[in-house]
Amino acid sequence: MVSAVQVGKSFGALQVLKGIDFDVELGEVVCLIGPSGSGKSTLLRCINHLEKIDSGALYVDGDLVGYQRKGDRLYELKEREISVRRSNIGMVFQRFNLFAHMTALQNVIEAPILVQKRPRKEVVEEAVALLDRVGLGSRLDAYPAQLSGGQQQRVAIARALAMKPKLMLFDEPTSALDPELVGEVLDVMRSLAADGMTMIVVTHEMRFAEEVADKVVFMDGGMVVEEGPPRLIFGAPSHERTRAFLSRII
Ligand code: ADP
Ligand code: MG
């Protein structure tokens, strides 16, 4: 589903990704961990076409990100073609980013109707089912300001799912939440994982990673330092930098 081959990315003189190799299989849940500034968000943003890479190659669902192959030539994608590709990827951020002037239901139906041009009736039915699934079936008409942070984040997840994405990216989805609201969001993510959704999750919730991830990837300084099954990374990390990070966070 995702393959990064020696991906490099700089902002001016600052090299943020220094040759990332990274793979996510269909149906896999990969947790991305690492200290602040290590390049985790930038990697997700590259995967989601929000940043362009400078070197290496990045594939999502078999397509080279940002390019289209015609015969043996590569063409840079136009903005409109990029949004089509991007609509296959759901992204949930630390801040809920809901439209404040729209109800929960309106937030969820907006993009499928406007971007995917799908029939309103069908989209509304699916959106109601999705909001029900994230435990908000009784709050369809609530505005974001009337919802708790955990509820808003669950609307954000439903909104991403309404696009029927093949891949879900989560960038610290619970970091901005009050501690007592973290669990309800993780529960929704757990059930998504159990349904076979391919997910990349940047998180500091190590217990969640241990329980749900097929693979944990530890990044530091723009590089993948080590990766492996959670039991190995948490139980017997082979790099000193991983050990130091884990001892600070757990
Ligand atoms: P993480 O998510 O692991 O905390 P980020 O990917 O957000 O790391 O950031 C990695 C580095 O890139 C940081 O030093 C950050 O300041 C820098 N950075 C991120 N985005 C930009 C940008 N748009 N312009 C300049 N520097 C950036
Ligand atoms: Mg980040």
Side-chain angles (χ1 to χ4, degrees):
M1 185 56 69
V2 177
S3 183
V5 186
Q6 286 296 303
V7 164
K9 169 76 187 170
S10 299
F11 292 110
L14 180 69
Q15 201 181 356
V16 174
L17 301 179
K18 302 174 183 168
I20 297 279
D21 290 314
F22 178 77
D23 286 287
V24 182
E25 306 295 330
L26 183 69
E28 223 175 15
V29 177
V30 173
C31 284
L32 201 50
I33 64 171
S36 176
S38 56
K40 307 179 298 296
S41 295
T42 302
L43 179 58
L44 287 194
R45 292 171 57 79
C46 290
I47 292 170
N48 199 23
H49 304 81
L50 294 168
E51 300 285 357
K52 278 192 179 163
I53 66 174
D54 305 327
S55 55
L58 182 57
Y59 298 86
V60 174
D61 198 21
D63 293 319
L64 199 52
V65 170
Y67 297 90
Q68 187 176 26
R69 194 178 290 282
K70 281 185 189 153
D72 54 2
R73 286 207 168 174
L74 284 179
Y75 292 90
E76 225 172 300
L77 291 178
K78 300 193 176 68
E79 193 51 48
R80 189 148 40 91
E81 300 160 326
I82 289 176
S83 20
V84 172
R85 295 259 189 103
R86 190 185 287 140
S87 69
N88 288 322
I89 305 174
M91 188 151 178
V92 176
F93 301 88
Q94 181 173 344
R95 295 270 161 207
F96 328 119
N97 299 112
L98 296 177
F99 304 117
H101 62 292
M102 291 185 189
T103 64
L105 183 64
Q106 286 167 342
N107 265 280
V108 176
I109 66 176
E110 174 84 357
I113 290 175
L114 288 185
V115 180
Q116 293 180 323
K117 315 268 187 227
R118 289 169 47 207
R120 183 182 173 90
K121 185 165 177 288
E122 171 193 311
V123 170
V124 169
E125 277 168 18
E126 282 177 16
V128 170
L130 279 171
L131 283 163
D132 196 44
R133 177 176 176 186
V134 301
L136 293 170
S138 62
R139 305 306 308 276
L140 304 180
D141 297 324
Y143 285 89
Q146 300 169 315
L147 299 171
S148 73
Q151 290 172 329
Q152 290 182 54
Q153 197 60 310
R154 287 185 280 143
V155 174
I157 294 173
R159 183 175 64 173
L161 292 174
M163 301 289 278
K164 302 184 192 286
K166 295 178 176 174
L167 169 69
M168 284 286 287
L169 309 176
F170 292 89
D171 195 354
E172 301 197 33
T174 60
S175 296
L177 297 177
D178 293 333
E180 74 273 20
L181 303 178
V182 168
E184 66 194 48
V185 173
L186 294 181
D187 283 345
V188 169
M189 293 167 62
R190 232 178 242 119
S191 93
L192 259 187
D195 275 0
M197 177 61 81
T198 311
M199 299 164 53
I200 305 175
V201 185
V202 175
T203 187
H204 297 299
E205 296 290 335
M206 296 303 154
R207 198 165 298 157
F208 172 83
E210 191 152 25
E211 190 188 323
V212 178
D214 297 296
K215 185 165 82 178
V216 174
V217 176
F218 173 65
M219 279 179 66
D220 194 10
M223 290 185 285
V224 171
V225 175
E226 69 179 302
E227 61 170 65
R231 217 172 303 158
L232 203 66
I233 299 294
F234 296 128
S238 45
H239 287 259
E240 178 49 38
R241 280 199 277 173
T242 317
R243 277 194 288 272
F245 172 74
L246 290 173
S247 70
R248 268 183 278 134
I249 202 152
I250 292 176

